[in-house]
Structures are given as C-alpha cells and as structure tokens.
Amino acid sequence: MNSRVLLGAAACLTLVGCAIKQPPFGEEIMPESARAQIPGRWAGPHRSGTVVPNWILAFGDPELTALVTDAVERNPDLKAAAARVEASRAAVRIAASSLYPRIAMKGLGERQGQRLSGDLGRDINPPDFGSSGVESSGGAGLDTSVDETSQRWVYGLAAGAAWEADVWGRIRSKKAAAKAESKALEADYEFARQSLAAAVARAYFTTIEAAQQEANAQDTLNLYQQYSQLTDVQKQHGFASDFDVAQIKSRTASAEDALYTAQQVRAQTIRAIEVVTSHYPAGRFDVRRSFPRQPRSVPAGLPAQILERRPDLIASERRFAAAFHRVNEARAARLPRFVLSAASGLGTAQLDGVGTLDAVLWTFAAGVTQPIFFGGELQAAQDLRTAEQKAAAASYVGFALRAFGEVEDALANDYYLRQREGALGDAVSNSGEAVNLAGKQLEQGQIDMFTILRLAGENLAAKVQLTQIRASRLRERVNLYLALGGDFAGTGAPK
C-alpha cells in the first residue's frame, strides 16, 4: 500500500511539472520607444531585395576566395572560438543531466578484524578513529558484543537511485540557459568567421592599392628623371640655369622617396595579409596588382531583418535569453524541492568461528525540502539574475542601434564614393590630356618645363586619389556585406 502511495506521488509530481516560460526575442526585447523607431526601409541609397549570401563571389576573384578559405581553415582565434562552442555544448549536457535519475552501484569485499582488551562486558564502545585520510570502501564495522578478538569477511552488492522532480522548472531553466549561452557562442563563432573573411578582403584590397600607388610613384619618377636629363642637356647649351637644374633634381629626389614609401607600404600590407591568414609574415606573398571588378549594388533587405540575420545580434539575443532563464532558475530555487530515492542490496557477513549471516536490504523514499532562511542569499541571487537580464536587454538595444548605424554608414559611403570615383576619373583623364598638350607646347617653346611638371604633379595627385577611392569602395562594400549580416559561404557554425 505504501509503495503504491509513493509511486502515485512520483507520477503526480511528474505530471504537474509546469512548462518553463519562454523569453521574448528579436525586436520584442526592445522597449516600445526603441521598437517604434525601426523604419520600414533604409534611409540611405540602396537596392531593394533580399540580402544575397556568398558575397565573396561577387568580386569574381578566385585568388581572394582562396585566401579567405585558407584564413578560415588556419586562423587560431577561430579555432579557439570553435573549441568554446564545443565546451558550451558539453555544459548543456551537464545541465540537462539533473533531469534524469542518478543511478550508482557498489560492490564490497572486505576483511575486518579487532582485538579488544581491558574492561570488557561493561558496554564501553571501542575507540572510533573516524576517517584515516584515505578513501574507504564503506564496509560495516565489527560487532563488539561477540568477543574481544574476532575477524570476519564482509561482501555484497548494492545499487541506488535518486531523482529530483523538476516541478517548478528550475533544472529545465538551468538547461535552457546553458543552451541559450551555447547558441550565443555559436553566433560569436559565426561573426568571428565573417569578420575574419572581411578582414582578409580589406587587407587584400589595401595591398592592391599599395601596388597601384607604387606604380603611380614609379611613373612620376620616370617623368622627373626624363626631364632631369633634358634639363642637363639644356644647361650644356645654355638654355637652363643651375637654379633650374637644382629644382628638377629636388623634385626627382622627392619622387624617388615617394616610390620607396609606396614600396614600404606594399611590403607592410603583404605582411598584414600573411598574418591574418596565419602565415609567417615574411613579406613574400604574391598578390595581383589590379583591382577586381566592383560588384553591382547590393540588395539591402529591410532594417528589421538584420535582427534575425547578423550573428552578433543573434548572440546578444541568445545571451538575453540565457539571462531570462537564469532569473526563472533563481526564482524556482526558493520553492520546495521534491526528491525520490531508492536503494537495494544483498550481502553476507561471515564471522570466523561463529557463522554466516545473509541479508537483503531495500529502501524507497520521497522527500520535500523547503528553503526557509538562508540569510537573504536566495533573494539576492534572484535580484542578481534580474539585474543581469536588464543589462542584457539594454546591451541588445545598443547592439541593434550600432548595427543600424553601420548599415546606414556603409550605404551612404558607397553612394558618395561612387560619385567621387566618377569625378576623379574625369580629373585624371583631363589632367592627363593637359600633360600631353603641355608636352607639345614645350617642344614648340610656348611654355617652360616647370609648367608641365606642375601639370604632371596635378595628374599624379588625381591618380593617387582615384586609386584610394577605388580601394575604399571595395573595402566599404565589404563593410556593407558584414553590416548586413550576409554570409560569405553558407553557414559556418561548428558541427
């Protein structure tokens, strides 16, 4: 009858276990004042449509694609992030283990002995030495009522089980928090992976920019050297002064310094690529010297969609969910705990010279523990978790606002850089034509050499700026892809 009562109690506890509350997600985390400000479309110039994945292919550059793939495979920081994801998944299994019964088994084989002397038969218990400092098998002590000197064998086998009925959802909330934290780390890994790809692409474009600036500096040096030689010839024939020679040689030396500076910058950018792709920075990496094609306008989707797409926002959302579940866990910790336990075993005690005693033992119990006074610890724990939840919600709003700002900046920058590229392209073309016309006028004696050098300097400045703008457009396009949360090669979450 009693067994039926205990079994019925266990069934009831299982059935009445209430479902845990689910946290809000996405824009529901935001206060109404912030949620109402999310527009239906981007303010900056953009192309409508759904964000397209695999953005690395938009540049049509197999060398860049191979670099990104190599960096993702080799980067040690990314491997560390993947290991943290694996650890978090193990933490979820640890948290979930408390939902199941804990079962253990014990086997015992022990030889015991005692020798007593003194005032025997006066109900004086022998001294108890307690633990000797090492792990004990846990065998029963000797019966002192039999004889002052005795030895015996004790052996047997026992098994036990205990289970806490998660009536209030404390354990499930703990598991849900661990799972949400694991999902946050998965999103962290994906954002680190996308950020690494973006860093490789930006470094790649910067290296190409440095190569083109080196070419611009070389062209300028060649021009100055050509006119320096011409000035030397003119001086020999009395058509140029020492002042003219000194000026052209000074400009030639400055152009040579600019070439060395450009070569130094290119070597630095090559080493930067080697570092970001986890190679030794020897400065020997070979990178193309021309820019890849500029991708067409990017479909930007809707502002609210990045809340569901950007990995860093997903990570922040999952951390809010973890904080939400921890509040529920702390609240449930103040409520009664219901535990069921059972144990059974069989064994034999054989006392030398007396006889043998066999035993079969079992227990089945149900218990309730209600915390009453812990010095305010449980309430403080709940307050702590509640404050953490508030912080996580505020952090999510901050992440979202920064994400919106990054997209708007990237869209605006892409528009203005495109306009500047067109204007500078005209400037390079017109200034180059002016240099060609000035060369013909110089041959006819209509202008002096320093006029053409001034025009050549203007043409070089326009070329330098145009190269900077073209590189900036490519880098800014990478920033836009990253800000929109577009992946570069499917999903990268560790398996």
Side-chain angles (χ1 to χ4, degrees):
M1 185 63 159
N2 291 336
S3 298
R4 293 179 181 177
V5 172
L6 291 173
L7 289 173
C12 290
L13 291 175
T14 304
L15 292 174
V16 300
C18 51
I20 62 174
K21 295 181 180 179
Q22 296 302 317
F25 61 91
E27 61 183 67
E28 295 178 1
I29 300 174
M30 299 179 175
E32 179 59 33
S33 57
R35 192 161 57 242
Q37 296 184 42
I38 301 177
R41 62 192 307 273
W42 298 107
H46 67 281
R47 176 181 162 200
S48 60
T50 304
V51 175
V52 180
N54 299 327
W55 59 261
I56 201 71
L57 301 179
F59 295 100
D61 190 339
E63 183 179 349
L64 173 59
T65 302
L67 272 176
V68 169
T69 302
D70 184 51
V72 170
E73 291 177 352
R74 298 170 56 90
N75 187 265
D77 294 333
L78 207 57
K79 292 180 180 179
R84 286 191 288 271
V85 172
E86 294 178 7
S88 70
R89 290 172 178 171
V92 174
R93 296 196 299 271
I94 293 173
S97 65
S98 297
L99 290 170
Y100 304 98
R102 298 193 174 190
I103 303 173
M105 181 175 289
K106 177 179 181 180
L108 174 65
E110 184 176 5
R111 179 67 171 170
Q112 301 175 341
Q114 68 180 8
R115 182 179 182 85
L116 304 177
S117 61
D119 296 327
L120 301 175
R122 296 189 179 183
D123 295 329
I124 301 176
N125 292 325
D128 184 358
F129 297 103
S131 173
S132 60
V134 297
E135 185 176 354
S136 173
S137 62
L142 284 169
D143 185 357
T144 61
S145 65
V146 177
D147 199 353
E148 69 274 13
T149 302
S150 61
Q151 293 182 346
R152 69 172 182 172
W153 282 101
V154 177
Y155 45 88
L157 186 66
W163 174 63
E164 178 181 347
D166 190 26
V167 175
W168 315 116
R170 181 183 62 84
I171 301 174
R172 282 170 291 161
S173 294
K174 181 179 180 181
K175 175 188 174 183
K179 190 172 183 179
E181 190 65 38
S182 178
K183 292 297 183 182
L185 288 173
E186 287 182 13
D188 285 341
Y189 172 88
E190 176 61 15
F191 190 67
R193 178 176 164 275
Q194 292 186 17
S195 299
L196 174 63
V200 171
R202 288 192 293 262
Y204 180 74
F205 298 141
T206 300
T207 302
I208 297 174
E209 176 190 5
Q212 295 208 355
Q213 299 294 23
E214 180 184 350
N216 291 332
Q218 184 66 63
D219 291 343
T220 303
L221 178 61
N222 292 340
L223 178 66
Y224 284 152
Q225 287 175 339
Q226 175 185 347
Y227 282 107
S228 178
Q229 294 172 0
L230 179 59
T231 304
D232 289 338
V233 173
Q234 289 179 337
K235 180 185 176 183
Q236 293 175 2
H237 293 82
F239 295 108
S241 65
D242 290 338
F243 177 73
D244 295 333
V245 172
Q247 284 194 81
I248 189 63
K249 289 187 179 297
S250 173
R251 296 191 182 191
T252 302
S254 297
E256 188 174 7
D257 176 68
L259 175 62
Y260 292 144
T261 300
Q263 290 173 341
Q264 178 188 8
V265 171
R266 174 170 167 77
Q268 290 176 338
T269 57
I270 289 176
R271 285 193 294 271
I273 284 186
E274 290 171 334
V275 169
V276 79
T277 54
S278 301
H279 291 84
Y280 185 82
R284 299 172 183 171
F285 204 81
D286 186 24
V287 179
R288 62 185 288 178
R289 291 176 173 265
S290 61
F291 288 119
R293 70 188 184 198
Q294 181 71 40
R296 58 180 300 195
S297 299
V298 179
L302 301 177
Q305 290 175 339
I306 67 170
L307 301 177
E308 304 171 1
R309 190 171 53 244
R310 272 188 55 152
D312 57 332
L313 290 177
I314 295 174
S316 181
E317 177 196 81
R318 291 295 85 204
R319 289 196 167 90
F320 170 81
F324 178 91
H325 289 302
R326 291 190 184 106
V327 171
N328 292 334
E329 179 189 359
R331 185 181 296 114
R334 304 176 63 188
L335 301 174
R337 296 188 185 184
F338 302 88
V339 179
L340 303 176
S341 63
S344 179
L346 54 89
T348 299
Q350 181 180 349
L351 186 61
D352 293 358
V354 177
T356 301
L357 182 64
D358 297 322
V360 176
L361 305 174
W362 62 269
T363 63
F364 186 77
V368 180
T369 302
Q370 169 62 61
I372 295 177
F373 180 73
F374 282 61
E377 176 186 351
L378 299 180
Q379 180 62 56
Q382 182 176 340
D383 294 342
L384 170 65
R385 297 307 188 188
T386 301
E388 289 175 347
Q389 180 183 349
K390 293 179 181 178
S395 178
Y396 179 80
V397 174
F399 270 105
L401 289 174
R402 285 190 291 273
F404 292 139
E406 289 170 3
V407 175
E408 293 289 5
D409 285 344
L411 289 172
N413 291 341
D414 182 71
Y415 171 79
Y416 288 114
L417 287 172
R418 184 168 65 250
Q419 303 305 315
R420 291 187 63 191
E421 183 180 5
L424 285 170
D426 292 341
V428 169
S429 177
N430 293 328
S431 62
E433 181 65 20
V435 172
N436 292 333
L437 294 175
K440 295 178 181 179
Q441 292 182 353
L442 179 65
E443 293 175 358
Q444 298 172 3
Q446 298 178 354
I447 61 173
D448 59 20
M449 184 180 304
F450 295 102
T451 300
I452 195 172
L453 291 179
R454 176 181 59 79
L455 293 174
E458 292 176 356
N459 179 250
L460 172 64
K463 285 182 178 180
V464 168
Q465 283 191 312
L466 179 60
T467 300
Q468 291 175 344
I469 292 301
R470 285 175 174 169
S472 295
R473 279 199 68 192
L474 291 168
R475 288 190 293 263
E476 202 59 48
R477 180 56 58 87
V478 172
N479 292 338
L480 177 57
Y481 285 127
L482 187 64
L484 289 173
D487 188 21
F488 62 91
T491 178
K495 303 301 182 184

